[in-house]
Amino acid sequence: MANAYAILLHASLAVLGLLLFFGLYRSVKGPNTADRIIAVNMIGTITILLILLITLITGEGYLMDIALIYAMLSFLAVVLLCKIYIGIYRARKEKEEKKNA
């Protein structure tokens, strides 16, 4: 039974690694900035899941603490990216309003 769990965990690692590359592709190629921000958030979430799966495989408890710290940093990064995006959007909108007036 333990062998089936090991196979499942390793297969999950492979699938999440593949999804990580798809997210990386979307964050680089994304059609607009909002898609890129969502892709960065998805990459952070997948990375946290990868760290937690590695924690289950190796049995090392300190990796769970690293996953928690990474979750906080990922959240702050996405909030910061959103603030920057909103600031750029507002500046662009004001510039268009001045141009039209």
Side-chain angles (χ1 to χ4, degrees):
M1 194 63 153
N3 192 17
Y5 285 125
I7 292 171
L8 178 67
L9 290 175
H10 286 86
S12 299
L13 280 175
V15 169
L16 286 173
L18 183 65
L19 291 174
L20 189 70
F21 284 114
F22 286 141
L24 184 62
Y25 173 77
R26 177 55 59 197
S27 68
V28 171
K29 180 122 174 124
N32 55 24
T33 308
D35 289 333
R36 289 185 175 110
I37 291 173
I38 291 171
V40 168
N41 191 18
M42 184 180 73
I43 289 171
T45 303
I46 291 173
T47 304
I48 293 165
L49 288 172
L50 286 171
I51 293 170
L52 291 175
L53 281 175
I54 292 171
T55 301
L56 287 174
I57 291 171
T58 61
E60 299 291 334
Y62 69 90
L63 290 174
M64 196 172 298
D65 295 333
I66 292 173
L68 287 170
I69 292 168
Y70 190 82
M72 289 185 285
L73 290 175
S74 177
F75 171 74
L76 289 175
V78 170
V79 168
L80 182 65
L81 284 173
C82 287
K83 287 280 195 184
I84 292 170
Y85 174 66
I86 289 170
I88 291 171
Y89 176 76
R90 286 183 181 163
R92 191 178 299 158
K93 192 174 180 181
E94 288 176 4
K95 186 177 179 181
E96 287 178 4
E97 287 176 358
K98 287 180 182 178
K99 186 177 181 182
N100 292 334

